[in-house]
Amino acid sequence: MLNRPPRRHRRTAPALGPALVPVLAVAALLATAGCSGAGGGGGTGAGDDAAASSSPVAARAQSPSPSVTVAPTLTDAQAKSALVTPADLGGDWTPTQGAATWRDALLKGTADVTDCQRLLDGLYAENLLGEPAGSRAATGFDDTGDGAQLRYRVGAYERAALDSSLAWLKTVPATCGQFTATDVRGGQFTVRTVSAPLPGLGEAGEGLRVTVSGDGGGWPAVLTLDFAAVRVGDSALSLTDGGLDDVDAEDTRRAAEAGTKRLQEVLAGRTPAAPPSSPAPASESAAESAPDSDQPSVQPPAEQDADEDLVDRDEVDPDELS
């Protein structure tokens, strides 16, 4: 047998594993993108951005919506101008001489229903709407005729909190229709609450009539207290009209109407108009025009001379005439 030299085996490159194929493909794509960028792709990107910003859709997204309005903010000066005056109330209302004594005697107590404590505290502190978040002003009036007292305030509130307070007030007649309050001396009162709506005023509002009766403090008493609140934008007015006698609901309505109009005027940038003065009763007008009986009457000179002549004639002695 012939001895043949051994065959040389060809060295072949190892086959690429399946896992390397996607990696190489991604690398090729990146390289292609880099070349495109070097050839002026940056300018193309800026052009795309400019085109996008000039598109109608982008313009609509960037421009503010014309339907969104911002409620006017109540200033300190406007809050004072929005307060009602005795002329707005009419009758015997005059600036108050101080808080009525029945406030401490009949509104300062502990309710036997937890949800109703907020009502008592709010009536006593005059903040059933919560505390204003901005400008505020307050005033008070006394009715010299029947002893009632009206407390009035106006302020700028946080809208969500204001709406929440009005919603709570709407539920008070159902949750606190009747409950018992105990004062610091142990006396007990029966508190009753009914709804007293004020339709047609402002953008939202609520009204209540609260009566407090019992013998707390060692003396019988019946307190009637009307409460009204009206919202105009983010501002609101609130008032209480109460007394130990029956309270005229028309007084509350008149104050709420006048206050709403004044608040709307100041928020519109106008000065509230002065209320028309009430004409004096006919009896008073007649009394003013009638002459005072204590004052001497003034006669014309001719009449005075005639009277003096008559006096002189009366003083003449009849014997002198003969």
Side-chain angles (χ1 to χ4, degrees):
M1 295 181 62
L2 297 175
N3 293 326
R4 294 179 179 178
R7 294 179 179 179
R8 295 180 178 178
H9 297 284
R10 293 180 180 179
R11 300 179 67 180
T12 59
L16 296 175
L20 294 178
V21 175
V23 176
L24 294 176
V26 172
L29 289 175
L30 291 176
T32 304
C35 295
S36 299
T44 304
D48 292 342
D49 293 342
S53 62
S54 62
S55 66
V57 176
R60 287 196 300 269
Q62 294 173 1
S63 61
S65 174
S67 62
V68 177
T69 57
V70 179
T73 300
L74 190 70
T75 66
D76 291 342
Q78 288 175 329
K80 292 179 180 178
S81 296
L83 294 174
V84 294
T85 67
D88 294 309
L89 305 178
D92 298 323
W93 292 100
T94 60
T96 187
Q97 299 301 310
T101 55
W102 46 256
R103 300 188 66 83
D104 286 337
L106 299 173
L107 292 178
K108 201 171 182 179
T110 303
D112 64 344
V113 179
T114 304
D115 292 341
C116 302
Q117 189 64 48
R118 178 180 176 183
L119 174 65
L120 275 185
D121 293 344
L123 289 173
Y124 179 75
E126 302 173 12
N127 63 353
L128 279 178
L129 289 181
E131 290 300 325
S135 299
R136 68 198 71 185
T139 188
F141 306 95
D142 297 331
D143 189 336
T144 56
D146 58 17
Q149 185 171 84
L150 189 146
R151 312 285 289 183
Y152 187 96
R153 73 185 313 193
V154 62
Y157 293 80
E158 197 279 320
R159 179 63 174 274
L162 179 57
D163 287 341
S164 177
S165 296
L166 290 172
W168 169 74
L169 286 169
K170 193 177 186 66
T171 68
V172 168
T175 58
C176 303
Q178 180 172 325
F179 61 94
T180 301
T182 305
D183 65 15
V184 293
R185 299 182 179 180
Q188 292 188 330
F189 299 94
T190 299
V191 183
R192 296 179 177 87
T193 308
V194 296
S195 178
L198 298 168
L201 295 183
E203 299 169 18
E206 291 296 333
L208 301 172
R209 167 158 285 205
V210 181
T211 57
V212 183
S213 59
D215 58 356
W219 50 282
V222 176
L223 168 68
T224 302
L225 193 66
D226 283 346
F227 171 81
V230 179
R231 178 178 68 79
V232 179
D234 293 340
S235 301
L237 65 91
S238 61
L239 66 96
T240 56
D241 177 18
L244 296 179
D245 201 350
D246 188 25
V247 174
D248 189 354
E250 187 59 29
D251 288 339
T252 306
R253 175 78 187 188
R254 186 182 300 110
E257 286 180 345
T260 300
K261 187 176 298 184
R262 293 181 72 91
L263 183 56
Q264 290 171 334
E265 288 289 312
V266 299
L267 288 175
R270 298 187 292 267
T271 301
S277 57
S278 302
S283 59
E284 295 182 6
S285 300
E288 292 177 358
S289 59
D292 191 346
S293 59
D294 295 336
Q295 297 294 330
S297 59
V298 178
Q299 296 177 328
E303 295 181 3
Q304 290 181 358
D305 294 340
D307 290 345
E308 292 175 359
D309 184 56
L310 289 175
V311 172
D312 292 342
R313 289 183 182 181
D314 291 340
E315 294 177 352
V316 174
D317 190 345
D319 296 336
E320 295 180 358
L321 295 177
S322 57

